[in-house]
Amino acid sequence: MADRESALADIQAGLKELDEEVVKAKADEALANGVLPLQVIEEGLSPAMKEIGDLFERGELFLPELLVATEVFKAGLEVVRPSLAAGSWEKACTVVIGTVEGDVHDIGKNIVKMMLETAGFEVIDLGIDVKASAFLDAAKQSDAKIIAASSLLSSTLPNLRLLVEAVRSDGLGALVMIGGAPVTDDLATAYGADGFAPDAILAVEEAKRLSVRV
Amino acid sequence: MTDLVLEVAWWAQAQGRYKGMMTSRQRVAAAFSFEEVDRVPVWCHVVGLSRRTLGVSYSEYAQSAEVAARCQLAWNDLIGDDFVDAYFDVAVEAAGFGQRMIYPQDEAAFTDASDYLIKNPDDYHKLEKFDVHTAPRVSEVLRMAEILANEVGEKRVVLSTPLEPFVTLGLMRGVSELLMDCVRNPNDVRAGLETVTDMSIEYVRALVNAGVSVIQFAHDYGNRAMMGPKMWLDLAGDCLRRLQSAVQETGAKLVHHNCDKVPYVDEAFDDIGHLDATMIWSLPASCTSWSEFKATYGNRATVFGCLEPVHFGTELSYEQAKVEALDQLRTFAPGGGFILSTACEFPANGSMHNAKAMVDACRDYEPA
């Protein structure tokens, strides 16, 4: 028991130190000591990731560290994945994500994608400059419950509205959440979006809120 | 017909309105010196929007000094603000290093993310210096500056915007990868920053030789949205000090610019220095209002700004825009040392009328 608790604590410490090698080694050690794969995630990796997210929200830790933390989290996840029973952790639901047509900025979208993955969402990343029809096709093919779209340019903001309209007129049951630097809560309401988040941490919370609606 | 009448009226106003008063150069110089001005100077900060005066695509604007200069001159002829911009977009220096570019018809040029020049941390050490007078895009911006200086340099201020070295590196590595390299491979990042800084110094000197008298540096990684202040200063501080000192040596004025959340303004002033002006989009952590910002920093440097470009350029009517511009003037103009501007580039899809509203507000503003 003590070895198992110690291994989980070491995983948390390694992730908070952004040390990929330590996290991988301790994840291996935890499995060898009889810790269940799901426990490695839910009692090792995820609590540390939550703490890192809270530090980011409070402005005590910043984007470079957050990005590395998501990479270290994923490295730890890959150690336990072969031992996971299929569907036992991931797929809080599937999210299709992309930057709208005409917009080639992706840093914010990439961070949201990483944070969603660390929270157990299956994410289909369509990249940048994505037409509304491509969002719809991907959502149908993957049975996605949420479409997450971003726009960083004022000139492409209208394409967020067009995406929402396309989803509604198609009758697709997926919910649409939007974000990006010029996007506001009021704009999201005006566009008829189902959700909005001003940053990557809150995007995860918003996705969780939406995932229980579908 | 109404639009044509408006255009003619604006042109006539731009040509004749300020006869007998200060030239733009005199007005801007006075603003930088906190001296009395005939009216508050104005910079509409128009780049992509200017091509609509001549019906030019962004692809054409972004690749030709002559085309871009004609657009800037046509815009300035029409609207009459005090500056002309020797500027294409953010990806000029990256192209000089050999980064592959994409030139859309209706959006600013950008670097090709499928073929970054810096593919791994070792590649930071392989960046090769280039001749600013012959390098792709860099040489074109220099020629654009020469054209603008020759055409209107006697009366208008020619301004250019080279980028903080971090921005250029991000465009050649990918922003996410660069930020992670800052944590995992900081010494490699430092090597890249040094090389980019060396080239930026040569670029800045050449811009000033070409007739640019105001250099705006975008500290786009020096804010809370990108990284912590300690990391920013640790990695980029020495480079920025070298760069901004080099600008000072040319005699050009240096404008500090930052268009993301919670900019590190104190660090820019105190740790890097050599600033003549500041232009920011959102408030620093030390201030809770723009009035407080003016009171805190307005006696240290000339303030440019601070109209929020997306809202101002695309969401307001002309009348609403003029009201907001006048509000800004009432906040910032008293005491001098202020130049009305949007806090970042005026949206390329924005309303020309709203840009004109800035000029009209400066014309009509009466100090209390």
Side-chain angles (χ1 to χ4, degrees):
Chain A
M1 177 72 83
D3 286 340
R4 288 158 63 179
E5 285 180 1
S6 170
L8 289 170
D10 288 342
I11 289 169
Q12 289 190 24
L15 180 44
K16 285 187 267 190
E17 288 294 315
L18 308 180
D19 193 326
E20 186 171 314
E21 295 310 311
V22 164
V23 166
K24 282 159 61 175
K26 292 301 177 182
D28 254 338
E29 191 178 306
L31 292 174
N33 283 334
V35 179
L36 296 173
L38 209 53
Q39 283 178 304
V40 171
I41 299 170
E42 293 181 345
E43 296 176 39
L45 295 170
S46 290
M49 199 67 216
K50 170 121 186 14
E51 211 173 304
I52 289 168
D54 289 343
L55 288 171
F56 179 78
E57 277 293 287
R58 293 201 300 266
E60 295 174 30
L61 180 143
F62 301 91
L63 195 52
E65 293 87 351
L66 184 68
L67 287 170
V68 173
T70 59
E71 293 282 295
V72 173
F73 180 101
K74 282 153 67 174
L77 187 60
E78 289 310 307
V79 170
V80 301
R81 193 188 294 277
S83 309
L84 271 174
S88 62
W89 179 66
E90 284 156 320
K91 301 196 70 169
C93 70
T94 300
V95 177
V96 167
I97 195 168
T99 309
V100 292
E101 185 175 4
D103 196 326
V104 299
H105 296 88
D106 66 353
I107 176 72
K109 183 264 297 176
N110 288 346
I111 299 161
V112 170
K113 173 196 167 185
M114 290 178 181
M115 295 306 295
L116 287 173
E117 287 175 332
T118 63
F121 288 88
E122 177 83 19
V123 182
I124 311 291
D125 185 359
L126 301 180
I128 58 174
D129 191 17
V130 182
K131 293 183 187 328
S133 57
F135 277 108
L136 283 165
D137 290 343
K140 287 173 187 172
Q141 282 169 17
S142 62
D143 194 29
K145 303 301 182 211
I146 298 173
I147 293 174
S150 73
S151 168
L152 197 72
L153 301 173
S154 60
S155 57
T156 55
L157 280 175
N159 291 341
L160 288 172
R161 189 186 68 242
L162 292 176
L163 171 63
V164 174
E165 288 171 358
V167 171
R168 301 290 181 254
S169 63
D170 185 85
L172 187 64
L175 301 175
V176 181
M177 58 183 279
I178 64 175
V183 182
T184 62
D185 200 12
D186 287 344
L187 199 72
T189 302
Y191 285 176
D194 301 291
F196 157 76
D199 64 45
I201 306 299
L202 293 175
V204 173
E205 297 308 311
E206 185 72 339
K208 287 178 180 174
R209 182 184 72 82
L210 292 177
S211 69
V212 299
R213 278 178 54 183
V214 289
Chain B
M1 179 59 76
T2 303
D3 283 346
L4 177 61
V5 169
L6 266 174
E7 284 186 20
V8 170
W10 290 350
W11 176 85
Q13 190 177 66
Q15 295 305 306
R17 184 73 186 184
Y18 304 118
K19 217 178 266 186
M21 299 167 82
M22 290 172 144
T23 65
S24 292
R25 289 180 66 95
Q26 292 169 337
R27 186 176 298 122
V28 170
F32 272 109
S33 304
F34 289 81
E35 292 170 1
E36 194 176 343
V37 291
D38 56 344
R39 64 156 173 82
V40 176
V42 55
W43 179 31
C44 293
H45 207 164
V46 160
V47 180
L49 181 61
S50 71
R51 61 193 180 79
R52 283 160 51 185
T53 56
L54 298 180
V56 160
S57 73
Y58 230 130
S59 176
E60 292 172 279
Y61 183 100
Q63 299 185 77
S64 166
E66 286 79 14
V67 169
R70 284 208 322 269
C71 291
Q72 283 287 319
L73 291 168
W75 168 262
N76 197 259
D77 222 28
L78 180 68
I79 298 295
D81 56 334
D82 293 297
F83 294 79
V84 286
D85 280 50
Y87 182 71
F88 285 169
D89 48 67
V90 300
V92 169
E93 291 95 318
F97 279 105
Q99 170 64 50
R100 190 190 295 271
M101 299 292 303
I102 294 175
Y103 297 97
Q105 288 291 102
D106 298 315
E107 300 290 345
F110 56 91
T111 55
D112 185 351
S114 69
D115 189 15
Y116 281 131
L117 200 61
I118 303 173
K119 294 177 172 53
N120 57 64
D122 288 340
D123 287 346
Y124 288 109
H125 302 269
K126 297 176 185 170
L127 289 175
E128 291 183 0
K129 297 183 184 180
F130 54 83
D131 182 344
V132 297
H133 299 287
T134 57
R137 307 199 83 208
V138 174
S139 60
E140 286 296 302
V141 174
L142 290 176
R143 284 204 308 117
M144 183 185 180
E146 281 173 359
I147 295 169
L148 292 173
N150 287 339
E151 292 290 328
V152 295
E154 288 290 315
K155 54 177 183 172
R156 299 291 191 227
V157 175
V158 182
L159 178 151
S160 190
T161 306
L163 282 307
E164 171 187 2
F166 251 131
V167 176
T168 300
L169 275 192
L171 291 168
M172 299 190 290
R173 172 68 169 136
V175 175
S176 300
E177 294 298 326
L178 171 60
L179 292 178
M180 288 194 281
D181 289 341
C182 289
V183 178
R184 293 171 157 168
N185 307 98
N187 289 333
D188 298 312
V189 172
R190 278 195 188 88
L193 287 170
E194 289 289 336
T195 305
V196 174
T197 300
D198 290 343
M199 294 314 309
S200 293
I201 289 173
E202 292 192 28
Y203 182 36
V204 160
R205 287 175 179 154
L207 282 168
V208 175
N209 280 342
V212 170
S213 57
V214 176
I215 295 282
Q216 178 191 220
F217 263 130
H219 285 183
D220 282 346
Y221 278 58
N223 53 69
R224 197 176 285 178
M226 292 301 280
M227 62 176 56
K230 185 171 178 304
M231 175 180 279
W232 182 59
L233 286 173
D234 181 42
L235 291 174
D238 282 345
C239 290
L240 289 171
R241 281 180 215 104
R242 278 205 297 133
L243 193 39
Q244 296 185 188
S245 175
V247 172
Q248 196 171 51
E249 286 167 12
T250 67
K253 293 298 184 185
L254 177 57
V255 182
H256 151 260
H257 172 51
N258 200 312
C259 57
D260 220 320
K261 293 176 185 167
V262 194
Y264 301 138
V265 177
D266 285 330
E267 289 81 355
F269 274 99
D270 300 331
D271 293 286
I272 296 171
H274 309 289
L275 299 180
D276 298 295
T278 180
M279 182 172 78
I280 57 174
W281 183 320
S282 76
L283 288 167
S286 56
C287 298
T288 57
S289 70
W290 287 114
S291 301
E292 190 180 351
F293 176 77
K294 165 74 174 181
T296 306
Y297 298 100
N299 60 353
R300 299 185 66 175
T302 299
V303 172
F304 278 71
C306 298
L307 296 162
E308 199 282 319
V310 173
H311 165 71
F312 186 83
T314 67
E315 296 175 4
L316 302 178
S317 66
Y318 166 85
E319 290 75 19
Q320 291 170 326
K322 192 171 173 193
V323 165
E324 282 210 11
L326 284 167
D327 282 344
Q328 287 264 300
L329 287 163
R330 290 185 198 102
T331 299
F332 286 101
F338 178 62
I339 296 174
L340 183 68
S341 170
T342 49
C344 197
E345 182 186 333
F346 198 99
N349 65 329
S351 165
M352 288 186 176
H353 296 272
N354 292 8
K356 183 63 169 54
M358 296 168 64
V359 176
D360 292 345
C362 286
R363 178 201 63 207
D364 294 343
Y365 167 68
E366 294 284 348

